[in-house]
Amino acid sequence: MRQAVLNLEESMIRQVANAGMGRADVLRFWFGESDEVTPAFIRDAAVASLQQGETFYAHNLGLPELREAIARYATGLRCAGAVPINADRIAVTSGGVNALMLAVQMLVEAGDEVVAVTPVWPNLTAQPAIMGAQVKCVSLKPVAGEWQLDMAELLAAITPGTRLLIVNAPNNPTGWTLSRVEQEAILAHCRQTGTWILADEVYERLYYEPTPNGCAPSFLDIAAPEDRLVVVHSFSKSFLMTGWRLGWLVMPPSMTPHMGKLVEFNTSCAPVFVQRAGLVAIERTADVTPRVVAHLKTCCDTLVPLLQAVPGVQVAPAKGGMYAFFRLEDQARFGDSLETAKRLVVEAGLGLAPGNAFMINPGPEAQGWLRWCFASQDLARLAQGVRRLDRWLGL
């Protein structure tokens, strides 16, 4: 077996979840998904497709009508002056994870240098490592519970020898989001160094700051079609479709035919009935996404003040995403986030994700962090969870 695969670490989030398996009393906030099912009209579209016998292969890049719909949707989210996105830049994928892996397979060879902004969902740093790349991390810095980017440090880390920059904003787990000024500086610098940018923007719509287009700043607002930029999106979060495994890529048009070849050798295509569901979701965005975003903001506004009132907890509101990333200040007791998360499951019936799952070689300032997915239909569950945490910390 390849050493790069043998070196992969077991999912810390899964380790915590395994500790709570079979326990009905555990409040589960460890995974990054809502507990609300996919809207009925989306499910009905998949059922109708199956009933019509659409059980065969589709085009590697996705159904033409879905690619066109995604292009219209993505263009509609852009700011004034942005270049329209055409369907020849779109590839439909079997989930956002698949989209990320396809992009890394397309761009990274063994020995390449990859820079990643962390903390970040561990798949984003594991994927280039699987390809044999050398992954160098630039960490956001926590300031009074809020994570901030040292732009000078990031730009210094990206050199002509850097093949790929990976950045996730809005960020899982911190909620940190790139500003337009920061995006412009990164894009200009990467143009000079010849570095590709892989932008994971799956939380673009889950953004709580006021903007004209109702979403977070995107590299697609400022980039030219042939810039060395690949943007990843997913139906999972803003359309409540985590289990459907459907996503898409936006890339330079010259790359798209070659991406079709990679899709062929990975999955052949996304299932047609799943794509039909995605098509209806895109066409009826107004019937699902604004409601989801409004509810998630209410969840955030409910959870964060409750956490801030707990002695020994340090947290700032997330600008985007669906997580509260908070720190337990007593490092003597809670420095190892994985062990703390396991204890919380067993001793408090509270399931959270350990913060060190999202970091590579974290420094002392990164210890003691936990991620709480606040995407809960029942706000009372969030309050109940905080009470359990408060009692446990007081023991």
Side-chain angles (χ1 to χ4, degrees), residues 274-325:
V274 175
Q275 294 191 64
R276 293 294 185 198
L279 179 59
V280 170
I282 283 282
E283 290 176 341
R284 295 184 57 179
T285 302
D287 294 329
V288 53
T289 302
R291 176 182 61 80
V292 168
V293 175
H295 180 69
L296 287 175
K297 186 176 188 308
T298 299
C299 290
C300 181
D301 292 344
T302 299
L303 177 63
V304 171
L306 293 174
L307 285 174
Q308 289 173 330
V310 176
V313 171
Q314 187 181 67
V315 63
K319 292 182 179 180
M322 56 201 305
Y323 312 104
F325 199 52

Side-chain angles (χ1 to χ4, degrees), residues 42 45 48 50 115-116 174 212 249 252 265 271 322 362:
I42 298 175
L50 288 170
V115 172
T174 67
L249 288 158
F265 298 131
M322 56 201 305

